[in-house]
Amino acid sequence: MIEAGLFACVSSCRCRPIPSRSRTYRGRKLNAHARAGIAEYWLLDVAAGTREVCRMPFGEDYRERRILLASEEVSPLAAPEAVLRGEDLLP
């Protein structure tokens, strides 16, 4: 079972746990992925039951940033036919 925490997912949808109060993944790492042109960056907050989906890199940030609840659906850009709810990703 996944313990409470924050997870970072990058386009390939590989997730890894990160400290829930970590600013690094919402700051420096997010900026680095945007600069590299990574089309999509997801943060999964297990404790809050939310996903932050960042898309459309522009400089060091993303033009589109959405916070989704567990019940809301989203499709990864790399697999638009796949529909994921937070309940599918969060414990």
Side-chain angles (χ1 to χ4, degrees):
M1 176 176 225
I2 299 173
E3 294 185 23
L6 193 64
F7 290 74
C9 298
V10 181
S11 66
S12 64
C13 287
R14 289 177 296 165
C15 299
R16 59 186 161 182
I18 58 177
S20 60
R21 295 179 186 247
S22 175
R23 293 182 192 208
T24 302
Y25 285 84
R26 282 198 171 98
R28 190 177 47 143
K29 296 234 181 217
L30 183 140
N31 298 146
H33 284 88
R35 269 194 318 273
I38 302 298
E40 186 167 39
Y41 185 80
W42 291 21
L43 291 164
L44 307 178
D45 189 334
V46 175
T50 62
R51 293 160 294 156
E52 184 173 347
V53 177
C54 306
R55 293 179 171 165
M56 298 173 55
F58 182 73
E60 291 194 349
D61 203 356
Y62 286 85
R63 290 183 183 178
E64 180 183 318
R65 293 174 82 165
R66 296 173 39 205
I67 296 178
L68 304 169
L69 301 175
S71 60
E72 294 181 87
E73 297 179 342
V74 67
S75 295
L77 294 176
E81 68 285 350
V83 178
L84 302 172
R85 292 186 328 230
E87 296 152 347
D88 298 330
L89 303 170
L90 300 165

